[in-house]
Amino acid sequence: MEKTQKITLKDYLYNKNFYVDDNVLNVLYSYIVTTPRVGGVLLRGPPGVGKTTLVELIAEWLNAKLIYFQATPGVTEDDLLYRFVPSEKTRSGVEITVGPVPRALQLSRRQKVVLLIDEFDKTRPSADALLLDVLQNFRISLYINNKKTVVKGNPNNLYVFLTSNDVREFSEPLLRRLLVVYIPPLQPEDVRKILITRGIDEATANLLTVIYIDTLNASLRKPATIQELFQCYTLIKNGVDLETALRIAVIKYDDDWNRFKAYLQNRRVEEVISRVISKTRDEARSNTLIRHYDFDEKKIEKKIEEEKAKEEEKKENKEEKKIIEKYALLVRDVKKEAEPQPIETSESQTIEVTLKMLNRDFDAYTHIVKSFIDEVGDDAAKIGKFELVRLDIKPDESFIVAKEPLSIEELMRLEDMQIEAYYESVLLLSWNDVKELVEKASRVKYATKRMLALEAKGACEEKMLLEFVSEDAIKVKGFIKCNKTFSKSNARLLYEAIERSSLDKKLNIILARQEPLPPETFVAYRFCFNDVELAKQIDELAKRWNWRLDVRRAEEGYGRGICVRILPQEQKIICSVIYNYHRDDIDLSSCEKALLSIMKR
């Protein structure tokens, strides 16, 4: 341990109610006190075991500056090198600054720094090579203001930690520079100690410990964390029944919940009771806790009598087994459902809606919530323009309906569902595209220079009305009915229109226009270009139509590049382009100049 510390790391973690295996602690201690320091530490283990919290507490104990970076799927090495921040100083509204890795190196020259790259296994494999020179020589090369810069750090002041949930394997050169430490789930006795230390009574701590053991054994996505158990305790304390509290705080996925209930039905109480170390003595608090449970009292009494017989045979603690046995009855379903809004109607009356989805076993409602979660409100039966309803003449059936036309973008989110829907959008289609749609149609019901009515029969019933708004912008009104599922293969006419409207096939149309595209134009795809002159033309379009350029990192599949989103003043995306400047057949310097001319505006 460093001499500057007044308290040992182990005591510091203990005072913070954080428990870690002594072997793990010894490895971390060895890394921290070694100077000059080489390499870093990779903390592996399932989600929720405290990997991130452990590093944060180490930074506090060292009195070091914590540089934290949360990796997300597809993160590249450039995301670790640079930061793109909003700025009024540039025409593009974006300024490039150093990212977490060079910033940690810079700060280490004058103070202690802990660099934590959380969930590094979510990065792309190419990011592994970026850290090799950092871990070996505490330096890194990058380009700032179009100039190559080498940033060096102080190995005595920099501590590098990576965490991983084992989403992918790391390269051998990277692993050679890391101490790989596995953080196992906490032991049940440690969980119980922490809960009691945080002020939870003994009876409840025993119950929560049993819940923790069950989440370990039930093959869930992850076991319960201390924080989740404490949240569950808070809900129970405030009158929420145990099942609801578990669904809200601990077991948040439907398949995990079903797996958990099936496990409880088959596991024996004796398999977990021996792992709860202390015995419950607070009988009054136990009885208070039991009143929070919404169980069948006759079943409870029957189970208690059965348990008493087992207690006499095995001479085990009666109160503790009573609590656990009541918990074992947690297989009864709790009903908490959105109530459909009733619609008064008759056999002859027609209700006009633009979407109808039969809601069997809440499958349609679940799909809508997952697809439009940002639009939920105070009324569980209304999500944006969607409503959960039932007809008085069919009280046992519920439906998802919409009373406003859907956009194609909204319609796309309803894939894999049985739907009847009406939609309206503006697509970017040339006359040749229209002719292809006519060829794909099963029937043409109406045809003029300004309007076409098409139908298609197959897995889905489709009706589409094409109305020419301008030379290449076409307003599409359509009806689609899929008795099986709405998908790309089933809705052939609609997806053919979207495919032909994709922006990568319409570049010449965009460049030839004398006025901006309609704001409601539906754009399904981005396109990639690596021509310097084309970059300049896009720049000129932005100037002509007073668009704002939003520069982003290129998506996976396009290589090293920059994604440039062009937006009008009303902030709706008009088109999205990816400028890929890392190609062998392209002059890198000239491409960078063209890119910078866009970014600096």
Side-chain angles (χ1 to χ4, degrees), residues 41-72:
V41 176
L42 171 63
L43 298 178
R44 295 177 51 243
V49 296
K51 301 185 293 294
T52 304
T53 302
L54 176 58
V55 179
E56 292 172 344
L57 291 175
I58 289 175
E60 291 180 9
W61 178 72
L62 288 169
N63 195 26
K65 173 70 174 179
L66 176 65
I67 304 295
Y68 176 84
F69 180 82
Q70 173 65 61
T72 54

Side-chain angles (χ1 to χ4, degrees), residues 4 71 99 117 261 336 352 376 418 460 479 521 543 591 595:
T4 56
I117 306 179
K261 291 195 299 182
K336 184 68 175 178
E352 293 187 359
V376 299
Q418 297 181 25
C460 290
F479 169 80
T521 300
K543 293 177 182 178
C591 284
L595 178 63

Side-chain angles (χ1 to χ4, degrees), residues 442-459:
S442 302
R443 293 188 182 88
V444 180
K445 304 294 288 288
Y446 184 88
T448 68
K449 291 182 178 181
R450 305 299 302 173
M451 192 174 295
L452 286 166
L454 311 178
E455 291 186 3
K457 295 288 186 179

Side-chain angles (χ1 to χ4, degrees), residues 38 44 217 269-270 328 396:
V38 176
R44 295 177 51 243
N217 297 334
V269 175
E270 291 81 358
D396 296 332

Side-chain angles (χ1 to χ4, degrees), residues 244-257:
T244 303
L246 284 175
R247 290 306 310 270
I248 292 173
V250 180
I251 306 174
K252 303 169 185 176
Y253 297 94
D254 291 340
D255 57 339
D256 272 354
W257 180 248

Side-chain angles (χ1 to χ4, degrees), residues 213-334:
I213 295 171
D214 285 337
T215 61
L216 282 174
N217 297 334
S219 300
L220 309 182
R221 284 178 170 84
K222 67 175 188 63
T225 65
I226 293 294
Q227 184 62 30
E228 289 171 342
L229 292 173
F230 193 80
Q231 290 173 347
C232 184
Y233 160 74
T234 303
L235 292 171
I236 293 173
K237 183 180 178 181
N238 289 313
V240 178
D241 66 89
L242 180 59
E243 292 189 41
T244 303
L246 284 175
R247 290 306 310 270
I248 292 173
V250 180
I251 306 174
K252 303 169 185 176
Y253 297 94
D254 291 340
D255 57 339
D256 272 354
W257 180 248
N258 293 332
R259 196 176 296 118
F260 183 70
K261 291 195 299 182
Y263 165 78
L264 288 181
Q265 286 178 313
N266 297 321
R267 75 105 158 89
R268 292 165 56 93
V269 175
E270 291 81 358
E271 293 174 358
V272 295
I273 189 172
S274 61
R275 301 185 67 181
V276 181
I277 303 304
S278 295
K279 296 179 172 58
T280 303
R281 300 180 180 85
D282 190 351
E283 182 176 355
R285 179 65 187 99
S286 299
N287 292 333
T288 302
L289 179 64
I290 290 171
R291 284 197 292 271
H292 287 290
Y293 304 168
D294 184 18
F295 297 147
D296 186 321
E297 290 298 326
K298 292 184 179 179
K299 290 183 178 179
I300 291 177
E301 294 302 324
K302 181 179 178 181
K303 286 290 183 179
I304 291 175
E305 292 300 322
E306 293 175 354
E307 194 60 36
K308 285 181 178 180
K310 294 178 182 178
E311 289 171 346
E312 292 175 358
E313 294 176 3
K314 299 184 178 181
K315 298 180 180 180
E316 295 181 346
N317 181 272
K318 296 181 181 180
E319 183 61 25
E320 192 167 36
K321 292 207 66 173
K322 189 187 300 182
I323 293 175
I324 297 174
E325 187 59 19
K326 286 180 179 293
Y327 167 59
L329 293 175
L330 184 68
V331 295
R332 190 178 64 81
D333 289 333
V334 174

Side-chain angles (χ1 to χ4, degrees), residues 523-581:
V523 176
Y525 303 96
R526 296 183 173 131
F527 63 89
C528 176
F529 68 91
N530 47 38
D531 188 319
V532 176
E533 293 302 318
L534 190 53
K536 294 178 180 178
Q537 291 184 61
I538 294 292
D539 189 26
E540 289 300 320
L541 285 179
K543 293 177 182 178
R544 184 195 311 169
W545 297 335
N546 195 26
W547 284 353
R548 180 171 67 84
L549 298 183
D550 183 19
V551 182
R552 300 286 181 89
R553 188 67 48 211
E555 293 183 347
E556 186 173 356
Y558 288 99
R560 254 182 92 197
I562 296 293
C563 171
V564 184
R565 297 195 307 169
I566 304 178
L567 303 97
Q569 290 181 343
E570 55 266 35
Q571 302 299 304
K572 293 183 179 179
I573 296 178
I574 293 299
C575 65
S576 209
V577 301
I578 291 180
Y579 180 30
N580 189 329
Y581 63 90

